[in-house]
Amino acid sequence: MTSAKKRYVAYLAVLLGSLVGVFVWSRSIRADFLEYVEHELLDNNDFVLAAVDPESYAPLSFSSQDVDGPAYLHLRQHFMDLGEVMWDEYKIKGVYAMKVRGAEVVFIVDSAREDDPWHSEPGAVYQDPPQALFDVLRDGQARFVGPYTDEYGTYYSSFSAQKNLVGETVAIMGLDMSAADFQLLLNERNRAPIEFGGGLALVLLSFFVLIEYRIALVRRIRAKEEEVDRLKADFVSLAVHQLKTPLTGLKWSVETLASSPGPLSADRSEAIRDIGEITRGLNELVNALLNVTRLESGRIIIEPKPTALDKLAAGVIKELQKNALDKEQEITFAPDAGLPEVSVDPLMIREIYKNLLTNAIKYTRTGGRIEVRIASRGADIVSSVKDNGLGIPEDQKARVFEKFFRAHNIVSLSEDGTGLGLYFVKQIVEVSGGRVWFESEEGKGTTFYFSLPLAGSAPKEGEVRLS
Ligand code: ADP
């Protein structure tokens, strides 16, 4: 999965997680509210039971004939008053008393106004009474039910048995809250999670948009920087390339001059030798700069092939042996026996040995000792070049792999150099999948190490090779 895709998935997960949290919160509010309504309906049922005299049903016939009787009218007024209180205080929509006759339930009286669709005349049969009503009659225990739907709508109700002084059930008292009112009250309580959830989603979305905006901005800046770097590298590469042609010409002219027959004054031949030296140094600098720009441009070709590092290093030692002998230095070479071949680009790795060994020779006094080792270390092959030379000053160690760095303890030496060698080495080691480091003590010596993975370097297509 791309990193952008991973981010989007993470955003979605956070959003969904928050929404699930808000949903769980609102469900718990609903469960609490249901409990609250149950208590309200049951408590108020008790209250109504206490407020209605069980004897007030005695004069009634529980039929339509009750309608105009004073006992009914009185009871009806009382229920309407109770109903008003219940509605105002608790949004309980109806208070009513019922009589059970066999399997039939008839209404005795209710609190609804005449024009209210759920108002029932005395004696009217309740068509589809909930089972709870019969349960109340059976065991005398009050019940809460809901939501249930009957011909009047969907309700939450409480039922309880009203008993007279001798303990006979004279009526079943019912209190109703409509499902619509229940929902309205619940919505009010749910406003907090809904508002919070909406706010949270908005904050999260703005946050995600901000992150994306920042990422896009950083990418744009980075792309611009890369473009500038590339232009710079292209410029340097071009400039250095342009230097190569006149330099080659100069070198050729100096050589011709030096080897031309005829007598030359000592001054002149020294001047020609100096020009030759300077030209050689310049040529070296131009080559080093060319290689560095090639590596930096990322256009370098990496062509790994099975390589015996010990043979490669031995070749480089042989090549540089003359420089060491000039300074009466001894180079010892101690590769582990039976080293496996590793798949690396031999042209590149050769440059590493060459640079490290050249440095060891340059920065070690006449008569010094240099030791080259190659050893297997876990998943790597580690090569080291150790000398007992000048060492690197403590306060300069951090800068050793920087471009154009030359330590102050060697600047006074006549040894030439560009300060690009170790930078170059680090680039090559890293593109080859390895690591380079060193140990050094000023005045005692230095050991440079570099590792290469036994698994080999990854090949890379490109346009240029090292020169
Ligand atoms: P150059 O040798 O061309 O100056 P390098 O990048 O190869 O550049 O080395 C950078 C600097 O690190 C050197 O100028 C020198 O100060 C220090 N250095 C490198 N190798 C050694 C060494 N073996 N002993 C002491 N100093 C070293």
Side-chain angles (χ1 to χ4, degrees):
M1 218 186 325
T2 64
S3 68
K5 252 193 200 151
K6 270 189 207 153
R7 268 198 330 274
Y8 297 152
V9 169
Y11 295 159
L12 212 67
V14 171
L15 257 176
L16 281 178
S18 321
L19 291 181
V20 166
V22 169
F23 179 72
V24 169
W25 180 13
S26 101
R27 292 304 293 185
S28 87
I29 285 181
R30 189 181 195 284
D32 288 352
F33 184 63
L34 189 66
E35 214 168 281
Y36 163 79
V37 167
E38 177 177 348
H39 279 121
E40 286 299 310
L41 280 169
L42 287 171
D43 284 359
N44 282 310
N45 207 312
D46 279 354
F47 167 76
V48 170
L49 277 191
V52 175
D53 180 2
E55 297 305 325
S56 54
Y57 304 112
L60 301 177
S61 64
F62 313 120
S63 71
S64 56
Q65 285 159 17
D66 288 338
V67 174
D68 298 319
Y72 173 78
L73 290 176
H74 179 74
L75 196 61
R76 165 107 171 105
Q77 187 55 51
H78 191 39
F79 265 71
M80 285 179 82
D81 292 345
L82 283 170
E84 205 174 306
V85 174
M86 289 297 123
W87 173 253
D88 288 348
E89 298 283 325
Y90 308 105
K91 293 289 171 273
I92 290 173
K93 193 170 177 167
V95 180
Y96 49 102
M98 295 158 286
K99 185 97 191 156
V100 181
R101 277 204 210 112
E104 204 175 57
V105 179
V106 294
F107 291 102
I108 304 173
V109 62
D110 66 35
S111 64
R113 288 200 321 268
E114 304 291 328
D115 55 353
D116 208 317
W118 71 268
H119 169 61
S120 303
E121 291 293 311
V125 176
Y126 188 174
Q127 295 301 341
D128 45 3
Q131 176 59 35
L133 220 147
F134 298 99
D135 296 341
V136 171
L137 191 69
R138 183 170 36 77
D139 60 13
Q141 299 282 324
R143 297 260 184 334
F144 167 78
V145 285
Y148 72 91
T149 303
D150 59 18
E151 59 190 296
Y152 304 104
T154 305
Y155 290 95
Y156 295 84
S157 307
S158 67
F159 299 115
S160 62
Q162 182 159 31
K163 299 192 170 159
N164 61 15
L165 285 173
V166 289
E168 293 162 347
T169 299
V170 290
I172 302 281
M173 189 69 75
L175 263 65
D176 287 351
M177 177 185 279
S178 79
D181 290 328
F182 178 94
Q183 195 56 49
L184 277 175
L185 290 174
L186 179 60
N187 286 352
E188 243 162 63
R189 295 196 173 208
N190 254 333
R191 197 167 292 156
I194 289 168
E195 281 174 0
F196 178 80
L200 183 69
L202 215 68
V203 168
L204 285 175
L205 278 172
S206 333
F207 184 59
F208 298 156
V209 167
L210 256 166
I211 294 180
E212 285 303 308
Y213 177 72
R214 217 191 111 78
I215 289 173
L217 203 72
V218 168
R219 275 221 187 107
R220 267 227 304 277
I221 293 171
R222 210 169 281 157
K224 273 262 167 329
E225 280 174 357
E226 272 167 19
E227 169 75 3
V228 170
D229 280 354
R230 204 181 51 75
L231 286 175
K232 247 175 13 190
D234 281 358
F235 172 76
V236 173
S237 163
L238 204 77
V240 173
H241 213 85
Q242 294 300 315
L243 278 175
K244 270 260 357 145
T245 321
L247 253 180
T248 314
L250 189 62
K251 201 169 136 214
W252 183 78
S253 307
V254 173
E255 275 165 15
T256 315
L257 210 58
S259 59
S260 58
L264 263 180
S265 70
D267 281 0
R268 279 193 182 179
S269 64
E270 196 184 326
I272 290 172
R273 219 177 26 250
D274 285 352
I275 296 172
E277 274 301 301
I278 293 167
T279 313
R280 205 180 50 73
L282 265 176
N283 205 39
E284 206 174 277
L285 175 64
V286 166
N287 275 338
L289 273 172
L290 258 183
N291 282 337
V292 164
T293 52
R294 280 168 186 165
L295 270 168
E296 282 180 341
S297 72
R299 293 179 298 137
I300 201 93
I301 302 169
I302 304 178
E303 220 169 7
K305 47 180 86 144
T307 307
L309 292 180
D310 48 358
K311 285 208 186 92
L312 194 71
V316 175
I317 293 172
K318 196 166 163 206
E319 187 183 318
L320 295 175
Q321 193 74 51
K322 185 180 168 307
N323 302 14
L325 284 178
D326 285 349
K327 290 181 80 176
E328 294 164 28
Q329 292 165 341
E330 185 192 351
I331 304 179
T332 55
F333 182 39
D336 274 5
L339 281 172
E341 290 191 333
V342 272
S343 177
V344 290
D345 188 323
L347 287 179
M348 291 179 123
I349 306 306
R350 197 171 185 288
E351 290 302 319
I352 304 178
Y353 287 116
K354 196 168 155 189
N355 268 286
L356 296 184
L357 204 58
T358 308
N359 279 349
I361 296 169
K362 274 200 303 191
Y363 304 120
T364 299
R365 291 209 171 78
T366 305
R369 273 196 332 273
I370 295 164
E371 214 173 291
V372 181
R373 286 176 178 276
I374 307 177
S376 239
R377 290 271 179 281
D380 294 322
I381 289 197
V382 176
S383 305
S384 60
V385 179
K386 180 179 180 183
D387 63 54
N388 60 348
L390 304 171
I392 298 167
E394 197 59 41
D395 62 340
Q396 307 229 291
K397 282 184 175 169
R399 301 186 46 209
V400 160
F401 294 107
E402 278 176 20
K403 227 189 267 185
F404 301 114
F405 168 76
R406 305 205 75 201
H408 56 55
N409 65 329
I410 58 96
V411 182
S412 56
L413 290 186
S414 61
E415 295 294 356
D416 51 4
T418 59
L420 286 171
L422 288 179
Y423 174 78
F424 182 53
V425 163
K426 189 164 192 290
Q427 302 277 316
I428 298 180
V429 171
E430 285 174 359
V431 297
S432 304
R435 208 162 66 78
V436 58
W437 68 101
F438 67 94
E439 287 160 4
S440 183
E441 199 177 328
E442 196 173 1
K444 290 217 167 138
T446 306
T447 310
F448 270 92
Y449 301 86
F450 72 95
S451 67
L452 287 172
L454 271 172
S457 312
K460 187 176 138 331
E461 291 192 1
E463 296 145 41
V464 282
R465 290 174 198 279
L466 298 181
S467 63

